[in-house]
Amino acid sequence: MRVSSGILLIAALVAIAATMPTPPIRFREVATQVGISFVLENNPTDRKHMIETMPGGIAVFDFDGDGRPDIYFTNGAEIPSLEKSAPKFHNRLYRNQGNMTFRDVTDEAGVAGAGYSMGAAAADYDNDGHSDLFVAGVNRNTLYRNPGNGRFEDVTTRAGIKSGDWAVAAGWFDYDRDGKLDLWVVHYAKWSPAYDRFCGDQARGIRIYCHPKYFEGLASTLYRNRGDGTFEDVSARAGIAQTAGRGMSLAFADYDNDGFPDVFVTNDNMPNFLFHNKGNGTFEEVGLLAGTALRDHGKAVASMGVEFRDYDNDGLPDAFVTALAGETYPLFRNAGKGVFFDGTYQSKLGSLSVKHSGWGLGVFDFNNDGWKDIFTANAHVNDRVELFEPAIYREKNSVFVNENGVFRDVSDQAGMTLAAAHRGAAFGDFNGDGKLDAVISSLGEKAELWENISPEPQHWLILRLRGTKSNREGIGAKIRIGKQYNEMTTATGYASSSDWGVHFGVGSTTLVKTVEIQWPGGAKQVLTDVRTDQVLQVTEP
Amino acid sequence: MLSALYFSAIAGGLLHADDPAAKSQRAKELMASGRFDQAIPIYKELIAAMPGNPGLLLNLGLAEHMAGHEKESVPLFEAVLKTQPKLLPALMSLGAARLALKQPELAVGPLQKAVAAEPANPDARGMLADALNGAARFDQAAEQYRKLTELVGNDPRAWYGLGMTYQAMAANAFDRLQKRDPQSPYVAALIADTRVQRHQYKSAFFFYNQALKDLPGIHGVHAALAEVYRKTGHPEWATAEAAKEQSLPPADCAAHAAECQFVAGHDLQAVTLPRTGPATPEALYWRAKAANELSLQSLVRLGQLPPSMELHEVRAEIARDQNQHLEAAKEWRAALELAPGNPRLQHELAVSYFLAADYRAALAEAEKALHRDPRSPEMNFTAGDSWLRLEEPEKAVPFLRAALAADSGMRAADASLGLSLSRLGKFAEAAPHLEKALELDDDGSLHYQLARAYQASGNQAKAQTAMTRYQELQKKVADQKEEAAREAQILPPQ
């Protein structure tokens, strides 16, 4: 009789779980009221230079160490000079003053930048406790060191960082696990302002951005951190210098759980790259065999942003990619043993995304129910697409809620009302309420800050790691809470960066039984009975 | 028109007075109200009572024809014509039935007799022209359409028919030329012309230059090249190229008669092939050029008439040719407004939506078409593939199976069904369809799909082979693109 009751109780609980409504996700747009007035000046010209349609990377990071995430926007420049000839082209740093207010501190921080900027990557590369910043741009990159006094130092040349190619995105990771963060820079293609191919319909006089096929792709560059403030270009030695693509963005995860972080690079109208870290300082591009190069139909798509996170709580990082209307936002589900399957259809993401075009994205648990949801910054690449295709240029953003590994479009209910030429997206908890907010850039328009106002009181936990043997921020650390799995990374979506810790939504749980942390330096750490609804600082043992 | 034939048959007193009056009257009412199927058994009863009565046979034939039973109607019309060989309604109905059965060659005979019996009848002549065109007898078809335009100069169907016939004549001349000598510079020049029509100027530039290598003195090609320069923003080069055209000596009209006729604007003469001997590549080239010109003139006349279904059709086809599928769909919609429910137009609209990647709209139109003709392989494929592209493979499968049931050789449906089944996790079932579709694989994507299907169903060796083939095809495509890019440079005149 007792057994029967137990079975009945379990059955009842299962039934409740199956029918429990997913906690709603709600956002409201607050950029102007919180003091953010940034406009992404892409400087569109009649000549339709390809670079004009591609900027917009954002970095969310706590540059002043006050525990509140700040926001850095990259910006365009004059064409053809590629100079920031006026303040409107400056990159902008907004300091989070608390109480959800921001102040533009660009000038005092010395980060207005130079050239036509595209992407941003924040992390503490010199392990001094202050997040530094790399800005990728068209033929011009910048590395800013953060000495912790509120003003950044441009150390590009001294550090040995090169310019000269069109870099779109970059990311920090410790590929050789020596405790020092290395830098991976993704390049798009060979381009100069002199490039003047006419693409479009000459008879109708309609000029559009050229198809990517007209641009010769470039390989990524890997900089190894020597630990003395300088970097060494090890691309050739690492075996990546000959693998040219039209790179758009990147994400890191140890997809095969061999202890070394691997790199997913999206390519525009070319197969994506999956660089498997062989653990000996070299990489092997395995996208085709692993099943991440292409969707199941075998044709390359215009892959834009990428996230490498576990959405189905099976402990394996999966890869999400944004692309253009008609292509879907591909989802490569990690089946283990180094193999991925196209999960776009099974997750319902295919039918939900097929009409959208996307750039930035974030795969985070926005309603804190224990399942990672998706936020995408939508817009087409071609501002005249409506003349040629049944697609829309300026789009509203999308929010897809995760219901046990299957997604549902809740964009309307979530308050996604603004159509724009969205590009970059970065994420952080700006007001400290445990609900992740989103910041989005748009070509020629004001940035958007979407405050997460999801109504259900779900619980959460943010871990801020402090490496001792490992890199200071614990980038690459693997964290498990129950079935949930995250890796510490700052690389986000499209050409962007989110550096504030690792977020978990835990639903109704107020006390997490165990938090398991596998540090990149090798140490394993288990925390028990951890109170939720806090930002927990964890130091590597 | 066939309703009119029926009533003219009645008016002609073909119903015999000794028929039971009530039955005859009932059949007549059913025909008048469009209930042809119900009239058929009544006429059969009447014929059983009066075997061989030509009036009743004609009426039964008309009922069968108008009910869509073409095969059944043909022997009835033929029986009538045995006793009354010049009976216009029977001749025209037989012609119409043969056309509906896609037997244009067999339609020609009765329709020629109908035209001979009533030369001023535009319906008879129009049907004869259609039949001749369908039978690829383009010269005769053009002649009939031309006469039709003299009879009914304001009828858009006449000008449309004439334009389309000349277009078919041009295409036919090109095909014959290509078969005869695929490497001919005349082939290159005609390919260049089509590239210009599609606004593919770089490709046109390449092919015109190919033609000029062997035919430096040919008239018109330098001028066409000058136009390419103008369209691509090189006015100085255009002037230089136009000067080359101007400096060409006149063609030797004894040796190059067709060229002379064409250059002089005598298109009707240029389009005519020599009566003796096989047509030379040169003669076929000028025939294609002249036929295109004559087609254009006809379609210009069509454009001068008030908007018509035919005019929108022409515009839609031009837009489709130029890969402007949204524009094509707009024109098909406009044509449909003037001819609501026209199944052919609906079919074309569905195709244009599909090509424009507007799969929701393609689906809606395909489903309308399938309502009328559920077995249509093309529309089942359009619906199925649209569902697949909308990421709903479970809805695609029934349509794709129906397409293959109607046409087992439709490899595109095999490809689409294979991918649909793979997405549904039915890899073992998907593989044979993908295997069948491999002949379509020009970029390796089907081999990739097959490799993944084999991999998922545990057949690693086959997966490896298919993946290797994918990589080979990808390399081939990349090499071809590189070559095409080299060809695509527009350079100054030499």
Side-chain angles (χ1 to χ4, degrees):
Chain A
M1 190 62 193
R2 278 185 183 177
V3 172
S4 301
S5 301
I7 289 170
L8 283 173
L9 179 61
I10 290 166
L13 288 173
V14 167
I16 289 167
T19 56
M20 281 225 307
T22 307
I25 300 175
R26 300 275 187 277
F27 288 94
R28 68 175 170 197
E29 205 289 303
V30 297
T32 303
Q33 75 188 68
V34 303
I36 292 174
S37 57
F38 174 78
V39 173
L40 174 51
E41 296 287 356
N42 62 317
N43 193 19
T45 67
D46 292 341
R47 287 174 65 186
K48 295 286 175 191
H49 292 291
M50 192 68 171
I51 61 167
E52 297 164 10
T53 192
M54 289 173 57
I58 303 169
V60 169
F61 70 121
D62 180 10
F63 86 94
D64 54 359
D66 64 358
R68 294 186 288 263
D70 310 295
I71 304 172
Y72 184 74
F73 294 100
T74 61
N75 207 347
E78 200 174 71
I79 302 174
S81 71
L82 302 184
E83 294 295 342
K84 291 192 185 297
S85 55
K88 69 173 185 174
F89 292 122
H90 289 176
N91 303 332
R92 293 277 164 194
L93 177 62
Y94 285 89
R95 179 172 172 268
N96 186 341
Q97 302 180 116
N99 299 321
M100 202 60 165
T101 60
F102 290 80
R103 185 168 69 85
D104 183 341
V105 296
T106 309
D107 293 338
E108 58 202 80
V111 287
Y116 203 105
S117 306
M118 288 266 158
D124 180 9
Y125 76 85
D126 55 359
N127 292 334
D128 67 351
H130 309 293
S131 283
D132 310 295
L133 182 65
F134 176 81
V135 181
V138 181
N139 308 340
R140 195 155 177 176
N141 299 320
T142 308
L143 178 62
Y144 291 110
R145 182 177 166 270
N146 183 355
N149 61 2
R151 187 164 181 87
F152 287 78
E153 273 181 86
D154 181 343
V155 295
T156 314
T157 307
R158 184 166 23 122
I161 302 295
K162 291 180 288 189
S163 292
D165 285 327
W166 174 1
V168 177
W172 296 98
F173 74 136
D174 184 6
Y175 81 98
D176 51 2
R177 289 175 47 187
D178 65 353
K180 299 181 286 281
L181 288 177
D182 311 298
L183 178 66
W184 184 294
V185 182
V186 175
H187 298 114
Y188 185 72
K190 290 183 181 172
W191 181 86
S192 86
Y195 187 92
D196 191 25
R197 183 189 190 99
F198 185 100
C199 296
D201 187 338
Q202 267 173 324
R204 291 196 283 168
I206 302 170
R207 191 166 188 173
I208 59 172
Y209 296 110
C210 285
H211 189 277
K213 68 184 177 185
Y214 296 116
F215 297 91
E216 188 183 341
L218 294 168
S220 295
T221 300
L222 175 60
Y223 292 101
R224 183 176 163 273
N225 188 340
R226 291 194 183 101
D228 59 358
T230 69
F231 291 82
E232 174 190 12
D233 180 347
V234 293
S235 312
R237 200 166 76 212
I240 68 164
Q242 299 305 314
T243 310
R246 283 185 291 268
M248 293 290 281
S249 211
L250 79 170
F252 305 107
D254 179 10
Y255 74 90
D256 57 349
N257 200 28
D258 65 357
F260 289 90
D262 309 297
V263 190
F264 192 119
V265 175
T266 51
N267 282 316
D268 192 1
N269 274 280
M270 283 180 69
N272 300 313
F273 294 148
L274 179 60
F275 289 98
H276 174 238
N277 187 337
K278 294 164 80 175
N280 59 1
T282 69
F283 290 83
E284 182 184 11
E285 203 287 295
V286 297
L288 198 60
L289 292 177
T292 56
L294 304 162
R295 269 210 66 191
D296 57 6
H297 50 52
K299 291 179 188 290
V301 300
S303 299
M304 306 286 200
V306 57
E307 286 272 276
F308 214 161
R309 301 180 199 268
D310 174 23
Y311 81 100
D312 52 359
N313 290 347
D314 66 353
L316 300 167
D318 312 290
F320 294 78
V321 173
T322 44
L324 295 183
E327 296 179 334
T328 74
Y329 296 163
L331 162 56
F332 299 100
R333 188 176 62 78
N334 190 339
K337 298 181 181 171
V339 175
F340 291 76
F341 287 108
D342 187 335
T344 317
Y345 165 69
Q346 282 80 5
S347 66
K348 298 280 182 211
L349 202 49
S351 56
L352 301 180
S353 65
V354 69
K355 65 182 178 187
H356 297 297
S357 304
W359 295 74
L361 76 157
V363 177
F364 296 101
D365 185 357
F366 293 106
N367 56 1
N368 287 335
D369 68 345
W371 293 88
K372 293 183 191 77
D373 314 296
I374 310 174
F375 190 118
T376 61
N378 295 337
H380 203 275
V381 64
N382 175 1
D383 57 352
R384 310 188 84 171
V385 66
E386 287 151 44
L387 294 171
F388 299 92
E389 293 173 34
I392 298 169
Y393 177 56
R394 298 170 82 253
E395 280 199 59
K396 297 172 190 171
N397 298 319
S398 291
V399 178
F400 304 113
V401 70
N402 185 340
E403 296 176 322
N404 300 327
V406 173
F407 293 96
R408 184 162 61 87
D409 188 344
V410 294
S411 310
D412 289 343
Q413 302 94 304
M416 296 296 111
T417 51
L418 299 178
H422 296 116
R423 288 296 184 269
F427 301 85
D429 178 11
F430 296 114
N431 54 4
D433 64 357
K435 290 181 280 199
L436 292 181
D437 312 299
V439 56
I440 311 292
S441 63
S442 305
L443 299 184
E445 293 184 67
K446 276 189 174 180
E448 297 160 19
L449 197 153
W450 293 93
E451 182 187 10
N452 189 335
I453 53 166
S454 300
E456 297 240 344
Q458 302 282 310
H459 299 282
W460 54 275
L461 182 63
I462 292 176
L463 302 176
R464 283 210 170 170
L465 306 181
R466 180 172 176 176
T468 52
K469 183 184 172 197
S470 305
N471 66 82
R472 169 89 178 203
E473 291 178 303
I475 287 176
K478 302 171 182 175
I479 305 156
R480 289 174 201 277
I481 293 181
K483 287 186 171 179
Q484 288 194 64
Y485 174 80
N486 270 314
E487 290 187 28
M488 172 58 195
T489 178
T490 69
T492 305
Y494 176 66
S496 295
S497 180
S498 302
D499 183 17
W500 40 262
V502 185
H503 171 269
F504 287 86
V506 292
S508 57
T509 305
T510 52
L511 197 70
V512 173
K513 288 235 176 225
T514 56
V515 176
E516 297 171 32
I517 304 171
Q518 169 76 60
W519 290 84
K524 286 186 182 172
Q525 186 174 15
V526 178
L527 312 175
T528 55
D529 295 332
V530 178
R531 189 172 49 80
T532 58
D533 304 332
Q534 63 164 327
V535 177
L536 182 66
Q537 308 283 341
V538 183
T539 303
E540 183 180 13
Chain B
M1 190 194 74
L2 289 172
S3 296
L5 281 178
Y6 168 73
F7 290 114
S8 70
I10 294 170
L14 290 162
L15 287 176
H16 284 237
D18 56 350
D19 283 340
K23 278 187 183 175
S24 180
Q25 182 59 31
R26 175 74 185 135
K28 182 181 162 189
E29 286 166 6
L30 288 168
M31 291 291 280
S33 62
R35 287 177 286 174
F36 310 114
D37 273 317
Q38 293 174 34
I40 291 169
I42 300 174
Y43 281 126
K44 282 184 176 171
E45 279 179 33
L46 290 168
I47 288 169
M50 287 173 282
N53 180 307
L56 289 173
L57 284 171
L58 177 61
N59 286 343
L60 177 58
L62 286 169
E64 296 276 16
H65 174 57
M66 289 157 87
H69 309 154
E70 309 294 356
K71 273 187 187 167
E72 288 76 8
S73 73
V74 166
L76 295 165
F77 295 134
E78 287 176 338
V80 173
L81 288 168
K82 270 187 187 162
T83 56
Q84 299 185 40
K86 292 185 179 175
L87 185 66
L88 192 66
L91 288 167
M92 289 179 65
S93 299
L94 179 57
R98 291 291 191 192
L99 281 173
L101 287 166
K102 298 193 176 8
Q103 298 169 334
E105 193 63 65
L106 294 175
V108 170
L111 291 169
Q112 278 175 330
K113 287 179 189 164
V115 169
E118 206 170 293
N121 182 326
D123 290 332
R125 200 175 288 279
M127 285 165 67
L128 174 59
D130 288 348
L132 289 164
N133 195 22
R137 291 157 68 174
F138 302 119
D139 294 274
Q140 293 165 285
E143 187 187 338
Q144 293 303 327
Y145 278 124
R146 272 202 305 275
K147 287 181 180 165
L148 191 61
T149 60
E150 289 160 15
L151 278 175
V152 283
N154 289 329
D155 188 336
R157 289 173 298 179
W159 292 107
Y160 177 78
L162 187 57
M164 289 297 116
T165 296
Y166 279 127
Q167 218 168 74
M169 189 187 288
N172 176 266
F174 177 76
D175 287 345
R176 288 169 66 187
L177 170 56
Q178 201 169 28
K179 269 186 199 147
R180 197 173 164 141
D181 182 4
Q183 303 306 319
S184 164
Y186 293 109
V187 171
L190 289 176
I191 290 173
D193 286 348
T194 61
R195 299 296 157 91
V196 167
Q197 283 165 14
R198 292 175 190 168
H199 301 171
Q200 295 169 349
Y201 298 117
K202 286 170 184 160
S203 177
F205 177 84
F206 172 78
F207 283 108
Y208 280 136
N209 276 295
Q210 289 289 100
L212 283 172
K213 274 184 199 164
D214 293 325
L215 300 167
I218 190 170
H219 284 87
V221 174
H222 284 292
L225 206 43
E227 191 57 21
V228 168
Y229 280 136
R230 259 190 292 279
K231 293 279 189 194
T232 51
H234 303 293
E236 296 85 8
W237 298 353
T239 306
E241 198 65 41
K244 286 187 187 176
E245 181 74 35
Q246 294 294 323
S247 66
L248 285 177
D252 172 359
C253 291
H256 306 285
E259 183 173 3
C260 279
Q261 299 286 11
F262 184 81
V263 171
H266 303 149
D267 297 318
L268 281 172
Q269 285 76 31
V271 88
T272 309
L273 289 172
R275 288 178 188 279
T276 54
T280 62
E282 181 183 345
L284 289 167
Y285 171 78
W286 290 111
R287 177 175 165 86
K289 295 279 287 182
N292 265 328
E293 190 57 37
L294 289 164
S295 172
L296 186 65
Q297 289 165 16
S298 307
L299 298 177
V300 165
R301 288 294 303 270
L302 174 65
Q304 290 164 346
L305 298 175
S308 60
M309 179 190 87
E310 288 78 10
L311 178 61
H312 290 298
E313 275 193 78
V314 169
R315 287 179 179 162
E317 278 156 12
I318 291 170
R320 182 179 286 174
D321 229 28
Q322 294 173 348
N323 283 326
Q324 293 176 15
H325 299 296
L326 282 181
E327 186 63 25
K330 193 177 113 191
E331 293 296 340
W332 292 121
R333 279 199 308 272
L336 262 170
E337 274 174 28
L338 296 170
N342 181 311
R344 189 177 52 79
L345 296 178
Q346 253 170 3
H347 181 110
E348 297 298 343
L349 179 58
V351 170
S352 281
Y353 277 135
F354 183 84
L355 294 172
D358 190 344
Y359 301 115
R360 287 257 167 236
L363 192 56
E365 291 304 322
E367 285 182 338
K368 276 186 214 164
L370 286 169
H371 190 67
R372 200 174 30 254
D373 179 10
R375 284 176 47 81
S376 164
E378 293 85 8
M379 287 297 102
N380 272 301
F381 170 75
T382 303
D385 206 52
S386 293
W387 275 124
L388 175 62
R389 287 164 193 267
L390 290 166
E391 296 286 319
E392 303 204 43
E394 71 283 2
K395 291 178 181 165
V397 167
F399 288 104
L400 296 168
R401 288 200 198 282
L404 284 168
D407 179 359
S408 60
M410 196 180 210
R411 294 293 164 247
D414 273 313
S416 189
L417 182 57
L419 181 55
S420 299
L421 291 168
S422 288
R423 281 202 179 147
L424 295 169
K426 298 175 180 176
F427 296 104
E429 204 184 330
H433 290 287
L434 293 170
E435 285 165 358
K436 280 187 200 167
L438 287 181
E439 66 191 57
L440 301 180
D441 196 8
D442 53 5
D443 64 357
S445 57
L446 289 169
H447 281 87
Y448 180 87
Q449 291 174 32
L450 188 57
R452 299 297 287 182
Y454 286 144
Q455 188 184 29
S457 46
N459 197 335
Q460 299 308 324
K462 279 187 161 184
Q464 182 58 49
T465 306
M467 193 60 89
T468 303
R469 184 67 186 134
Y470 158 78
Q471 287 168 311
E472 287 167 0
L473 284 167
Q474 278 284 295
K475 186 176 179 319
K476 187 176 156 192
V477 169
D479 291 347
Q480 284 170 345
K481 279 184 184 165
E482 211 169 287
E483 195 181 330
R486 274 198 303 274
E487 289 172 357
Q489 303 297 319
I490 291 192
L491 304 169
Q494 299 296 308

